[in-house]
Amino acid sequence: GLRFGGFSPNAEMPPKAPESKAAKAAKAQAGGKAKKKKWSKGKMKEKANNQVLFEQSTYDKLLLEVPKYKMITISILCDRLRLTCSLARKAIAILIAKGMIKPVTVHAKQQIYTRTTADGTE
């Protein structure tokens, strides 16, 4: 047998008793030359269960702790206070209105704020 240079499983063997269909299927399943690529099922990101409205505790934390952060962005607030992003945007608006933080860079995609320092140099 010269089929595929000896890759085929039955090339060199003398004919045997005919196999049942099930046995043939099992043999085909057992893998020929190429192993089929197994795809990973993909990693599921766990659902971020963030608050949609301020609870009093969260709001107090916002007013006390956030103005002490050196860098304040929407995503940092989401992460640390477990808020949704739209709520974090409102939170930043509140802090600016109170004069607790000031913008460093305001860009369509990423706004960066910092704490307002007493002397204004940062």
Side-chain angles (χ1 to χ4, degrees):
L2 285 176
R3 287 199 332 218
F4 296 119
F7 271 126
S8 158
N10 343 355
E12 278 80 36
M13 295 179 193
K16 305 194 286 294
E19 300 181 77
S20 68
K21 256 198 182 122
K24 261 194 187 128
K27 200 169 237 168
Q29 221 66 49
K33 285 181 296 225
K35 226 184 190 154
K36 190 149 174 6
K37 171 108 171 65
K38 286 268 194 303
W39 286 91
S40 66
K41 288 283 179 286
K43 300 198 172 46
M44 279 302 288
K45 183 168 158 286
E46 92 246 10
K47 188 97 170 62
N49 200 1
N50 291 350
Q51 297 170 357
V52 194
L53 297 168
F54 280 119
E55 289 169 8
Q56 193 56 52
S57 60
T58 318
Y59 189 70
D60 297 339
K61 200 168 166 192
L62 169 78
L63 296 185
L64 286 171
E65 288 177 25
V66 176
K68 296 193 183 90
Y69 295 168
K70 257 216 169 99
M71 178 165 113
I72 302 160
T73 65
I74 292 168
S75 36
I76 289 175
L77 291 191
C78 291
D79 201 41
R80 300 200 190 159
L81 299 180
R82 321 274 334 121
L83 310 170
T84 57
C85 290
S86 50
L87 194 53
R89 281 193 287 273
K90 305 251 190 325
I92 287 176
I94 292 168
L95 291 174
I96 287 182
K98 290 182 187 289
M100 290 172 157
I101 64 176
K102 61 175 191 237
V104 181
T105 312
V106 180
H107 186 266
K109 294 189 175 65
Q110 179 74 309
Q111 296 94 1
I112 300 175
Y113 302 88
T114 188
R115 55 193 182 185
T116 43
T117 44
D119 51 33
T121 57
E122 180 72 29

